[in-house]
Amino acid sequence: EAEHGYAEVLRQIKDRASQKLPIDRDDLKKWQKGIVEEQKQYGMPCRPDGVGRYRTPSNPLKALKTNPGAAAADDVPRLMEQWFIDFFMGATRCMLAPPYYHIPLIAEIGGELMRRFEKAAPFAGGNGCLSRALLTYFCYLVDQPVVIFTIDDRKKFLRSLSSAKSVQRMIAEKLRAEPRCPCGNVAARVHHLPWLDTYQCGECNKTFRLQWNSLRKFI
């Protein structure tokens, strides 16, 4: 159970996705505030005027230096308005799509929206945590395993922000690593070929293969 911070954000996102409910602007501001307040406990700096508030012409904070090419504060309201429109359209596509398309849609829609969110950098801090949490929304929405980013992925993730395709490729690679077994549990990959992977479920011990033709355009 979560009470605050990143874990609470993930709990609320899972709850929204399970009920097929959308995410709004107030959610993002509340979640960013919770994430930043948690980060402050670990000594990470954040300006008070950047907590729970967009970067805007009237609040012209700069994005973090680790995000080169981030939008100017003046452009954030416009970019986020279009981002939310595309976010809702993407969520609708995921809900209406047959199961075969669920994994490629997570890579396609999630990767593009993650990169756009990072480059819009609506907040002065916490954008990375939020973008990865929002990807989790799409995973929960189509009942797929959550994509996990570890501290070892940090440099690769930051490099991938150079293009939407780079982010999509990174997500696609992670989606291939641990898909869901027909029994419902996550299965580990035991053999890897360019487009054919073999998996074994640790729960039911079932071995199965998956052809990843649907992910070719990302890999």
Side-chain angles (χ1 to χ4, degrees):
E1 295 183 359
E3 296 181 356
H4 65 279
Y6 195 57
E8 172 62 13
V9 172
L10 292 175
R11 186 195 66 78
Q12 292 187 30
I13 282 177
K14 183 176 183 179
D15 184 61
R16 296 292 175 84
S18 66
Q19 300 182 60
K20 302 296 189 287
L21 295 175
I23 291 169
D24 61 30
R25 294 155 185 77
D26 290 336
D27 288 328
L28 287 188
K29 293 176 181 178
K30 177 180 67 176
W31 293 340
Q32 188 264 357
K33 181 178 180 180
I35 288 171
V36 170
E37 291 293 341
E38 183 178 52
Q39 290 177 341
K40 285 167 62 177
Q41 297 178 20
Y42 296 95
M44 298 177 67
C46 184
R47 293 179 56 170
D49 48 355
V51 178
R53 295 178 61 193
Y54 275 176
R55 299 189 303 121
T56 63
S58 59
N59 190 37
L61 300 177
K62 292 184 178 180
L64 296 176
K65 293 181 180 179
T66 52
N67 189 1
D74 290 5
D75 296 327
V76 168
R78 172 183 57 82
L79 292 173
M80 290 305 297
E81 188 69 26
Q82 186 60 51
W83 184 89
F84 264 106
I85 293 172
D86 295 336
F87 185 89
F88 294 141
M89 290 178 62
T92 302
R93 281 183 64 193
C94 285
M95 286 188 285
L96 296 178
Y100 174 80
Y101 294 104
H102 285 170
I103 285 181
L105 282 176
I106 293 173
E108 177 187 350
I109 297 171
E112 180 186 358
L113 289 171
M114 275 185 72
R115 201 250 175 181
R116 285 173 55 188
F117 189 91
E118 289 272 1
K119 288 307 175 184
F123 302 102
N127 295 301
C129 287
L130 269 177
S131 73
R132 293 186 288 276
L134 291 167
L135 175 66
T136 300
Y137 176 82
F138 288 98
C139 295
Y140 281 138
L141 202 60
V142 296
D143 194 29
Q144 289 293 330
V146 172
V147 178
I148 302 296
F149 294 88
T150 69
I151 191 66
D152 293 332
D153 294 323
R154 178 174 172 77
K155 290 183 179 179
K156 184 178 180 181
F157 176 75
L158 292 174
R159 288 196 303 269
S160 76
L161 294 176
S162 60
S163 70
K165 184 171 176 115
S166 296
V167 181
Q168 290 168 334
R169 181 184 301 113
M170 186 174 186
I171 293 172
E173 290 171 349
K174 285 182 170 292
L175 291 168
R176 288 182 68 183
E178 291 184 317
R180 192 176 296 283
C181 173
C183 76
N185 293 291
V186 175
R189 183 164 58 191
V190 294
H191 191 252
H192 173 61
L193 293 173
W195 302 112
L196 178 67
D197 294 328
T198 304
Y199 302 89
Q200 185 168 18
C201 178
E203 294 294 324
C204 70
N205 208 36
K206 177 182 176 65
T207 299
F208 61 97
R209 295 179 176 85
L210 290 175
Q211 291 187 4
W212 293 106
N213 295 321
S214 60
L215 294 177
R216 278 182 181 271
K217 61 181 179 180
F218 307 119
I219 302 294

